[in-house]
Amino acid sequence: MRPPADAIGTLALIVGVIASVIFIGVEAALVYAIWRYRASRQFAGEAATFERNRRLEIAWTAAPALILAVVFVLTLGTMAEINGAGVTPAMRIAATGHQWWWEFGYGGTKTANELHIPVATPIDLDLTSADVIHSFWVPELGPKMDMLPGTVNHLRLFARRAGSYDGQCAEFCGIEHAWMRIRVVVQSQAEFDSWLAAQNLPVASPGADGERVFLSNICVNCHTIRGTAAAGTAGPDLTHVASRATIGAGVLPNDVARMRAWLADPQRYKPGSLMPSVPLSDADLDALAAYLGALK
Amino acid sequence: MSRAVSLERSPRIVEDRVLLGVVIFIASESVFFLAIVLAYVAYRDAGLATAKANLDVGRTAIFSIALFASSGTMAVAGRTRSRAWLAATMILGAIFLAGQGSEYARLLSEGIGPGSALFGTTFFTLTGLHGVHVLAGLVALAALFTAHLGRARAVGAVAWDAVSLYWHFVDAVWVVVFSVVYIGTLL
Amino acid sequence: MTAIPLWVRRPAAERVGWLRTVDHKEIGVLYIGMGVAFFALGGLEALLLRAQLATPEATLVDPETFNQAFTVHGVTMILLAVVPLLVGFANYMVPLMIGAPDVAFPRLNALSFWLSLVGGIVLYFSFLAGGAPDTGWFSYAPLSERAFAPGTGVDYYILGLAVNGAGTIIGAINLAVTILLMRCPGMAISRVPLFVWMTLVTSVLILGAYPALTAALVMLLVDRQLGGHFFDPAGGGQAVLWQHLFWFFGHPEVYIMVLPAMGMISEVIPVFSRKPIFGYGFVAGSSVAIAFLSFGVWAHHMFAVGLGDTENAIFGATSMLIAIPTGVKVFNWIATMVGGRLRMTTAMLFAVGFIAMFVIGGLSGVSLAVVPIDLAVTDSYYVVAHLHYVLFGGTMLGIFAGAYYWFPKMTGRLLSERLGRWHFWLTFAGFNLTFLPQHWLGAAGMPRRVFTYAASTGWGPLNFISTIGAAILAVAMVVFFVNLFRSLRSGEIAGDDPWDAFTLEWSTTSPPPPENFASIPAVTGRRPLWDRKHPEARDKR
Ligand code: HEA
Ligand code: HEA
Ligand code: CUA
Ligand SMILES: [Cu+2]
């Protein structure tokens, strides 16, 4: 199948050309009328007095109607193509919007803010929201679709080339709407499979004192780390947090130093975020950052 | 504005500013109620069980008849300019409101309120907004009544027609609300 | 002060004062004053938005302030600036244009103004009362529900819009009855000036659309204050219901904002072309078609909600249809200029500017009606560009045309043409510089309503240009304000009919006396004043 983005691109090009022609036509007529009939340029004589012409009226009612009929037909074609009804998806991924981060579910395995999909494979996202309305939008991958609480919408994704694509929540969803960014990583089927296999594994670093700090603080109320007692769901699943490129849905690049800074005061980088600043000793912060930074 | 004496033939609606104004106002009020009714219908199924269990159709029907009857008495009052019929109209309207009040009291005591569940929300909003309009109608009737009490002839035909137009409208809205909310529970 | 009285030619002794006046002309002036003041406020809010967005990851304002700023900017410009400006001109001009001594209900008229103003004040009071609404001008649920907007901002939004709306509805009833019942002898409905026609159609739109908003606001209030569940998915309600109700109001609202402006340029263009309007019947009729269609397109604001392809296709089609009657207007305006003797006064410049810019906004609108394209750019800066091309490039330019055209009638003095030209060209340049780049920003993926954006996105340069444009617009507006204040005091004396115009308002003094006309005029054609000035060449119809 053709990537929805391409289908829309073609349609936009056609509509764009039609619009440009109309635009140039109207503006040209306007400018000509101004130049040709400006009083300053007039030799003596009064203005014309004609004030109606039924034929003209019919013509410039019918012409736009015809143009629009064509546009509408093209529209129907593209709509049918991009909703992907014809092609059965190779995989369904659950995407849930939260204020202000994304949760992606591959079967039981949950991850956040970074969506991985195999290249050249039709994927369906099952979109919903945990709180207010969000909208999933990755421009290069095609149309956007709203995520509404209490309903599930579907969006067909199909990426022709591997690589990483940036996107962002498009429906205003509150104070940090601007920092609800998406990163879509498109990889070869093999790479994708090994990524997913890794994501499926629980953590295996028991006893790390970063883990102790994590488990002995309120972190556990909101975060899950599979393989530990932490099973909170108010925040992103952190089982493989270090495997993601960014922290806080795009506010910070993800490395141990930035991780420590984020943990020390998330409100500084993402004011209004639902992740509170938890008072921790420097030692604890170091341990915690090191621990989370190791959760590849 | 025609400052006519009572019993003088009323002007045609499309010729009189006030009557035309009232009609246009009623038209836009209808859009308002339409939106609320549609919301009720949209959520009807969600609240149907509660509605069936808690709405006393028969009892409300009686009070509704009072309101419907008040349209009749208003018509007579309008034609005869009779204070008595006007009073009758007001009493019937008041009876209807009393009935609505008692029903509210019962539902609230059973823990059904605007915040309890979808049925409560839509029911109290729809019927409540109608009740407010009945109240406004009663105020208008009272104003007409007192004006009539005074120098009887000072009340123009237009005033009579305007008030009764509005009263009939409030009545008509209830026909819809009663069918949707109450009759609706029977089918 | 002035040698001649402003606004109404009334002996100082008989002045009643702004608070107690029921004269349609003075109430019109009050409306316009309200509109100008709120336009300045909304504009300053816009400048704040542009300043913050000029560079990536800027920290000029915090997110909260930004979200309040664009919310209040939108509500202010639409409901507190543009609508009062249009209603204000209608209030002042309609009775004059149909040869009536006043509106049908002068006291109600005062009431509508004061309700509209109080609504606006209530909204702005929220700033002092712990925070303005910050949920966007269409305040989508459930974001606007208690659970996610615990502050009082949204409650002030509800209250302010409801009160303001009540005023607007009463005003519409008043104007409709006035136009239907108070036309002077001979002023058949097929002869009323097009501004009056469009005002009538607009009133009908208001009466059909505003009540739906009021209903939605009541429901939201029930949810927030009585714990209701209309728009609360957790309680079984549906977030989409709010969107249906709001846009059933919201889309007609946009034609409420453009039709009167179209009426204004339909007065200006013929006068400065020295020709009768071309295709009067079609220009008037197309307004009715637009009004009719505009109640059937609301879901084009909801294409990405997931209504389904069939619904989307239907609403896409109805939306496209509106292009046809609108096009008819555009073509008839141009045909009116053809064969004329064009006097390029400032008023005419703005009228022509309206056509030139509105077409761009209209075409981008049609592209948005193409569902797949909308799904790509909805909620992006492409939409922001569209709405400003129609609202500023259309409505505001039309209002400026009307202002330069009618100011002399209202004050007895002309606005300065020299400053006027500066005003026009600065506006023209600043406007396009501000909003043209936003089309590309939207297509490139910049969502609307973001308080900042990552540097890595590469949206910086175009945003910077857009902000420069806004600064130029600000200068243009300052020029306009200067022009207003200076001309009020020391503008050139206009006389009764400075433009050699066609319609009745120019047949009385500038400004008109309280009763408008010494004696109620009788008319025999669409251009009564022309007929008087050229008895030999009277209009046939
Ligand atoms: C004055 C206000 C105004 C006007 C007149 C219009 C006019 C139109 N608008 Fe626009 N619109 C808004 C104000 C306005 N709009 C606002 C404020 C929003 C955003 C709300 C928000 O989200 O905040 C919006 C958003 C908006 C959307 C939703 C975008 C989104 O959120 O995803 C859509 C989608 O269909 C749309 C379509 C149209 C169409 C088809 C027209 C048509 O009426 C245009 C018709 C005119 C022309 C086409 C030009 C002249 C015609 C010709 C020269 C004839 C030849 C033309 C052809 C054959 C095409 N508008
Ligand atoms: C008629 C309606 C109207 C008008 C005229 C304008 C005018 C302007 N708008 Fe607005 N705008 C909207 C309606 C309008 N807007 C709406 C509906 C939205 C959507 C809101 C939402 O998303 O909820 C919006 C959103 C919007 C955004 C997007 C915000 C976001 O999504 O984050 C931006 C950003 O650039 C913007 C900019 C501007 C600018 C630069 C102007 C300029 O044209 C302003 C020009 C005016 C001035 C510069 C003021 C001049 C005054 C002075 C200089 C002070 C003088 C003082 C005295 C004399 C007392 N507008
Ligand atoms: Cu989530 Cu905007
Ligand atoms: Cu619209």
Side-chain angles (χ1 to χ4, degrees), chain B residues 27 42 45 126:
Chain B
D45 298 351
L126 179 52

Side-chain angles (χ1 to χ4, degrees), chain A residues 18-19 22-23 26 60 63-68 71 144, chain C residues 78 137-138 140 246-247 250-251 253-259 262 290 297-304 315-316 318-331 355 358-371 373-375 377-380 382-384 386-392 394-395 448-449:
Chain A
I18 296 177
I22 295 169
F23 168 73
V26 173
W60 62 45
L66 292 175
I67 298 171
L68 289 167
V71 172
K144 61 176 71 59
Chain C
I78 285 183
W137 84 279
F138 46 77
Y140 273 2
F246 186 92
W247 291 120
H251 188 86
E253 171 70 7
V254 307
Y255 295 101
I256 289 167
M257 288 188 285
V258 85
L259 283 175
M262 290 175 159
I290 290 175
V297 304
W298 76 89
H300 67 211
H301 296 271
M302 304 162 60
F303 284 151
F315 281 98
T318 50
S319 307
M320 290 180 193
L321 283 179
I322 297 194
I324 297 168
T326 316
V328 167
K329 282 187 160 50
V330 170
F331 298 133
I355 303 177
F358 177 78
V359 167
I360 300 178
L363 291 168
S364 66
V366 170
S367 75
L368 287 166
V370 176
V371 177
I373 297 180
D374 181 79
L375 292 178
V377 294
T378 181
D379 278 314
S380 80
Y382 188 89
V383 174
V384 175
H386 161 69
L387 75 90
H388 288 92
Y389 263 89
V390 281
L391 276 170
F392 196 97
T395 303
R448 60 193 290 192
R449 301 171 160 185

Side-chain angles (χ1 to χ4, degrees), chain A:
Chain A
M1 76 179 263
R2 181 164 66 143
D6 298 7
I8 296 177
T10 318
L11 181 63
L13 189 68
I14 300 171
V15 173
V17 170
I18 296 177
S20 310
V21 172
I22 295 169
F23 168 73
I24 294 168
V26 173
E27 304 291 343
L30 193 59
V31 172
Y32 174 76
I34 296 171
W35 170 80
R36 168 72 176 74
Y37 298 103
R38 64 190 191 281
S40 55
R41 160 182 187 291
Q42 288 304 327
F43 29 85
E46 252 308 324
T49 56
F50 62 82
E51 52 176 304
R52 63 211 286 248
N53 179 330
R54 179 160 264 93
R55 269 213 207 72
L56 261 180
E57 300 284 358
I58 292 169
W60 62 45
T61 307
L66 292 175
I67 298 171
L68 289 167
V70 174
V71 172
F72 183 63
V73 172
L74 295 171
T75 304
L76 292 178
T78 312
M79 288 175 72
E81 180 173 356
I82 63 178
N83 75 7
V87 191
T88 44
M91 172 168 57
R92 312 192 73 84
I93 302 171
T96 308
H98 296 258
Q99 286 180 315
W100 292 272
W101 57 282
W102 310 86
E103 175 182 305
F104 299 113
Y106 299 77
T109 306
K110 288 198 166 40
T111 169
N113 298 339
E114 196 169 290
L115 175 68
H116 287 244
I117 58 171
V119 70
T121 317
I123 308 287
D124 268 15
L125 293 184
D126 300 332
L127 305 161
T128 186
S129 165
D131 36 51
V132 302
I133 302 177
H134 304 273
S135 191
F136 183 96
W137 188 28
V138 182
E140 288 168 277
L141 295 186
K144 61 176 71 59
M145 180 56 87
D146 290 356
M147 311 167 113
L148 295 94
T151 34
V152 178
N153 280 336
H154 304 287
L155 178 63
R156 166 63 49 90
L157 289 185
F158 184 92
R160 181 176 287 134
R161 262 172 262 80
S164 88
Y165 301 80
D166 286 341
Q168 176 161 357
C169 175
E171 187 63 76
F172 182 66
C173 53
I175 185 164
E176 281 297 342
H177 163 66
W179 284 115
M180 187 163 167
R181 298 190 47 87
I182 313 168
R183 190 154 171 279
V184 179
V185 178
V186 180
Q187 8 185 223
S188 71
Q189 189 67 45
E191 286 170 334
F192 174 78
D193 292 337
S194 54
W195 172 84
L196 187 54
Q199 292 289 320
N200 286 332
L201 299 174
V203 297
S205 59
D209 51 359
E211 181 182 277
R212 186 184 38 69
V213 177
F214 188 91
L215 296 176
S216 56
N217 278 287
I218 56 172
C219 320
V220 293
N221 302 346
C222 305
H223 292 286
T224 298
I225 297 185
R226 278 173 283 125
T228 74
T233 55
D237 183 307
L238 300 179
T239 312
H240 297 283
V241 62
S243 71
R244 301 170 201 152
T246 68
I247 301 172
V251 274
L252 289 174
N254 190 358
D255 57 42
V256 175
R258 277 8 181 285
M259 179 62 81
R260 190 187 189 286
W262 165 266
L263 298 176
D265 188 1
Q267 294 301 319
R268 165 144 173 258
Y269 302 96
K270 203 166 174 178
S273 154
L274 298 179
M275 158 106 177
S277 303
V278 181
L280 294 166
S281 73
D282 284 3
D284 283 357
L285 277 174
D286 296 332
L288 202 49
Y291 167 65
L292 293 171
L295 296 179
K296 286 271 178 247

Side-chain angles (χ1 to χ4, degrees), chain B residues 126-138:
Chain B
L126 179 52
T127 56
L129 285 168
H130 175 264
V132 172
H133 282 72
V134 176
L135 202 60
L138 282 177

Side-chain angles (χ1 to χ4, degrees), chain C residues 331-344:
Chain C
F331 298 133
N332 279 290
W333 288 323
I334 297 179
T336 305
M337 294 164 63
V338 170
R341 298 283 179 273
L342 276 53
R343 289 175 292 163
M344 281 308 189

Side-chain angles (χ1 to χ4, degrees), chain A residues 268 271, chain C residues 51-53 55-63 451-452:
Chain A
R268 165 144 173 258
Chain C
Q52 162 70 11
L53 292 170
T55 53
E57 298 176 40
T59 53
L60 179 69
V61 299
D62 57 279
F451 70 89
T452 193

